[in-house]
Amino acid sequence: MPALRAIYTIWLRDLIRFAREKSRIISMLGQPLLYLLIVGNGMSATFQLSAARVEGFNYLLFMYPGIIGMSVLFTSIFSAISIVWDREFGFLKEVLVAPVPRWSVAVGKALGGSTIAMLQGSILLLLAPFLGLKMSFAQLFALLAVLFLIAFSLTSLGITIASRMETMEGFQMMMNFLVMPLFFLSGAMFPLKGLPDWMDKVMHLDPLTYGVDALRHIMYGQMPALKTLTRFSLPHDLLVVAAMATVLISLGTISFSRQNHN
């Protein structure tokens, strides 16, 4: 019970902080919208893909799940920055000396960041009708579940890194080095076919690769021109993301449990 209460408290604290930071909500939505409206339209007009010869192909629709994945990626990774923030302002010290297992704090942070990232991604789902995309309630429910799974995996990665960082500047530099490669190597901007061997191997290590692929399966199940550009099967995507989430949250809890409260 103390562990469950700690998980719930940390989760609720993160949600309350998020709800109070209106500027954070707007800024986290701004960059994905910028990519979708400007980069997406620009590339669809000027960049010719071999897949464009497929009847019914639409680059903006192809990019849409990747942009949602981008929103989840940014929100998930940077939600872990609160660990560094709490360390600098002393709140983390109070948490670490509390009579609760430290792993419960890490799990609470992961669930809080995952919930926030899922909500951010779900806001972008409101753009679907404007792109001419119709989805059933079953599809929307499946998308939310996949978004949460992706977010949990990425938030756990952020916690693993943040728990080892002493300063905000160090964490931000690490994230800037990590986030964009995770995004561009996920297949969000281009199909995962016909790539160099080294890039193909790196893509297999990116959890967002499987997450974006799963989103495309769910969104475009009835659109053959777009579904043919998926790389893996939906069960394979979900299994890999779940496995990565399990490994990363395990690493995150171990790393967090080694924190020094002095």
Side-chain angles (χ1 to χ4, degrees):
M1 289 303 295
L4 293 177
R5 190 177 298 113
I7 292 173
Y8 172 75
T9 302
I10 297 296
W11 171 82
L12 183 62
R13 175 178 178 263
D14 282 354
L15 261 65
I16 292 175
R17 290 178 62 181
F18 173 73
R20 291 176 177 175
E21 297 176 355
K22 301 297 188 298
S23 59
R24 179 183 173 188
I25 301 174
I26 296 173
S27 63
M28 284 295 182
L29 288 173
Q31 191 167 17
L33 287 175
L34 181 67
Y35 269 78
L36 183 64
L37 298 178
I38 298 179
V39 178
N41 279 293
M43 292 184 68
S44 63
T46 61
F47 184 55
Q48 297 297 322
L49 295 173
S50 60
R53 293 193 296 268
V54 179
E55 184 179 356
F57 177 83
N58 184 306
Y59 181 76
L60 201 60
L61 281 178
F62 170 81
M63 189 181 179
Y64 180 48
I67 295 302
I68 295 177
M70 175 187 186
S71 176
V72 173
L73 169 66
F74 279 38
T75 308
S76 298
I77 293 292
F78 283 99
S79 66
I81 201 172
S82 62
I83 294 177
V84 184
W85 185 273
D86 290 340
R87 179 185 289 110
E88 290 191 357
F89 286 89
F91 178 78
L92 185 63
K93 179 179 179 180
E94 298 178 9
V95 173
L96 293 178
V97 298
V100 296
R102 291 186 177 183
W103 64 262
S104 64
V105 179
V107 172
K109 296 293 294 184
L111 291 175
S114 302
T115 304
I116 293 169
M118 181 192 69
L119 292 174
Q120 288 278 119
S122 64
I123 294 175
L124 291 175
L125 290 175
L126 298 176
L127 296 175
F130 298 98
L131 297 175
L133 187 61
K134 297 181 180 180
M135 292 183 287
S136 65
F137 285 108
Q139 284 176 296
L140 290 174
F141 181 80
L143 286 172
L144 291 177
V146 172
L147 287 176
F148 183 83
L149 187 60
I150 299 169
F152 190 79
S153 176
L154 296 171
T155 305
S156 300
L157 174 61
I159 290 173
T160 303
I161 297 173
S163 61
R164 298 176 179 271
M165 294 292 167
E166 298 294 333
T167 64
M168 196 81 69
E169 293 78 8
F171 179 79
Q172 289 176 339
M173 288 185 64
M174 178 63 71
M175 290 301 98
N176 289 334
F177 176 76
L178 182 65
V179 168
M180 295 312 294
L182 284 175
F183 171 62
F184 285 115
L185 291 171
S186 67
M189 303 283 289
F190 47 82
L192 299 178
K193 296 181 179 180
L195 299 173
D197 289 340
W198 69 267
M199 187 179 291
D200 186 73
K201 292 177 181 178
V202 174
M203 280 183 169
H204 281 75
L205 302 177
D206 186 353
L208 191 59
T209 297
Y210 305 94
V212 171
D213 200 59
L215 293 177
R216 288 197 175 108
H217 271 289
I218 298 171
M219 285 186 178
Y220 306 137
Q222 305 302 320
M223 302 175 68
L226 290 168
K227 192 172 181 181
T228 54
L229 298 177
T230 56
R231 178 68 180 271
F232 313 101
S233 66
L234 180 58
H236 180 270
D237 288 328
L238 297 178
L239 181 61
V240 173
V241 175
M244 288 188 172
T246 302
V247 171
L248 290 171
I249 190 59
S250 300
L251 293 175
T253 53
I254 293 172
S255 181
F256 199 86
S257 297
R258 293 175 178 174
Q259 291 290 301
N260 190 346
H261 63 266
N262 294 327

